[in-house]
Amino acid sequence: MDAPPPSAADPVILDPAAVARFAHDLAAAIGAPPAGPIALAVSGGPDSMAMLALAHAAHPGRVIAATVDHRLRPDAADEAACVARWCRDAGIPHATLAPDRPPQGASIQAQARQLRYQLLGRWALDEEAAALLTAHHADDQAETFLMRAVRGSGPAGLAGIRRYWTWHPERWEGTGAGEARGLPVVRPLLGWRRATLRALAEEAALPFVDDPSNTDPRHDRTGVRALLAGSPALDIEGLARAAQHCAETDAAIAETVTWIERERLCPAPAGERALDMAGLPRELRRRLVRRAIHHVRHHAPAAEGSWSDSANVEPLLDALEAGNGATQAGVAASARGDRWHFRPAPPRRSA
């Protein structure tokens, strides 16, 4: 990016079929044509710049964009400025978002993701956006599927990158406080290949930069990406379809759990949860336990500890199935036979 990059003031030529495909995929992911501003997360890479150009062509005047500078690389500020210039020339409102301090210590990528969605989610909600779009594609999905398969994930994990999910600030930030509105997060490019998006960005002369972290051997995803690139038998599109099948299976199980939850609820004080677990397989118990913890934390904003939908609840399940009690994420769980009770844990005594 040493030379002056192209700008949106230059003619941007996109294949009308690609624009129509994007509009169709976005509407299909949301369930209807989006109403309201369409917020885009744009890193400045070829995938997100292609998405930005496609969205602007499909929905002119309705796109807003943001770039997150995690403050991890000196070049990140220049990359965000490049996106900002292109958006300015195209008449697209743009914001550069940055945390107060960069992620530090172990699991830098996981911390960066947590910060990224926190910043983007709050920004999009403040802008009253209809949805937040990210540029995840089929190659990302295949990589995620393999990474989670190696870790022994079940259907929920193997579903990989969701085409549509709702971001709730209180659940993401682990506060337990209620919020009036969630934010749809949509991935309209999950059916697109990385090479297709890069070719689109190059043909349209869009400015973009390749993130060096994508080739950093310290990250697990880099090794999986190299494995896929060197193994033609590992079909990217086939792996992405497998993830979609897992997503459909997970959704069907979730609907079943909702029905079982209604049938198995027992009387309990407000803000607590009691469930009859008699005869239920462990997978259904696992999901009901997660829902019970979320219910209690939702009604107890001061609950201690952090919580996420991916938190490990296996030790808690083991304890309850053995008839013992345990505490997780500020929720005390106890078992009396097949009846499991969840309530806010008492505050810890300070030393």
Side-chain angles (χ1 to χ4, degrees):
M1 297 180 65
D2 294 332
S7 76
D10 303 318
V12 176
I13 302 173
L14 296 174
D15 181 358
V19 176
R21 177 187 175 188
F22 176 84
H24 173 271
D25 289 350
L26 176 57
I30 294 179
I38 305 169
L40 271 63
V42 183
S43 66
D47 309 329
S48 62
M49 288 302 297
M51 181 179 69
L52 177 61
L54 288 166
H56 181 52
H59 298 283
R62 297 182 51 203
V63 171
I64 59 176
T67 304
V68 176
D69 175 3
H70 301 89
R71 299 174 60 190
L72 290 171
R73 295 184 295 109
D75 292 340
D78 291 338
E79 294 160 11
C82 180
V83 177
R85 285 193 297 271
W86 196 92
C87 287
R88 179 198 62 204
D89 294 341
I92 299 172
H94 177 272
T96 297
L97 312 174
D100 293 333
R101 56 184 178 181
Q104 297 177 342
S107 303
I108 291 291
Q109 283 200 323
Q111 291 184 57
R113 181 178 184 272
Q114 182 78 15
L115 280 170
R116 183 163 60 251
Y117 277 102
Q118 185 174 339
L119 292 167
L120 288 167
R122 290 291 186 183
W123 162 75
L125 283 177
D126 288 345
E127 296 292 335
E128 300 183 344
L132 172 66
L133 277 55
T134 70
H136 294 91
H137 46 67
D139 297 69
D140 293 326
Q141 183 71 290
E143 293 162 9
T144 301
F145 181 87
L146 281 183
M147 291 169 66
R148 294 185 178 178
V150 168
R151 294 170 186 162
S153 295
L158 293 176
I161 303 168
R162 304 301 176 113
R163 188 174 300 274
Y164 180 106
W165 62 286
T166 303
W167 182 85
H168 290 282
E170 80 284 2
R171 297 185 72 172
W172 193 259
E173 297 164 8
T175 63
E179 289 281 346
R181 181 195 169 199
L183 173 71
V185 178
V186 181
R187 281 71 180 255
L189 301 178
L190 280 183
W192 299 57
R193 293 295 306 275
R194 176 186 287 123
T196 301
L197 296 168
R198 187 181 189 92
L200 186 152
E202 291 174 345
E203 291 169 5
L206 300 174
F208 65 80
V209 63
D210 291 309
D211 186 343
S213 67
N214 290 334
T215 56
D216 189 334
R218 293 175 298 176
H219 304 315
D220 292 343
R221 187 174 291 272
T222 303
V224 173
R225 186 174 295 130
L227 173 66
L228 286 169
S231 307
L234 292 175
D235 180 58
I236 297 287
E237 294 178 4
L239 292 170
R241 285 195 301 272
Q244 179 58 32
H245 293 323
C246 288
E248 293 169 2
T249 299
D250 182 58
I253 296 174
E255 289 186 13
T256 302
V257 170
T258 297
W259 177 79
I260 292 174
E261 186 178 34
R262 289 196 301 264
E263 296 294 314
R264 297 298 189 101
L265 278 177
C266 301
E272 300 184 10
R273 204 59 143 187
L275 294 159
D276 177 7
M277 297 288 197
L280 295 179
R282 189 173 173 98
E283 173 64 14
L284 298 184
R285 289 183 172 188
R286 179 182 295 113
R287 291 173 182 250
L288 287 168
V289 164
R290 291 184 183 280
R291 291 187 180 206
I293 292 174
H294 172 67
H295 173 83
V296 173
R297 289 182 61 87
H298 180 77
H299 289 86
E304 296 180 349
S306 60
W307 171 251
S308 75
D309 291 337
S310 61
N312 180 17
V313 297
E314 300 310 306
L316 177 60
L317 273 172
D318 291 341
L320 292 170
E321 289 180 345
N324 300 319
T327 299
Q328 183 164 353
V331 177
S334 59
R336 289 188 176 180
D338 292 319
R339 178 169 170 165
W340 295 2
H341 197 126
F342 303 83
R343 60 172 61 88
R348 298 180 192 178
R349 294 182 180 178
S350 58

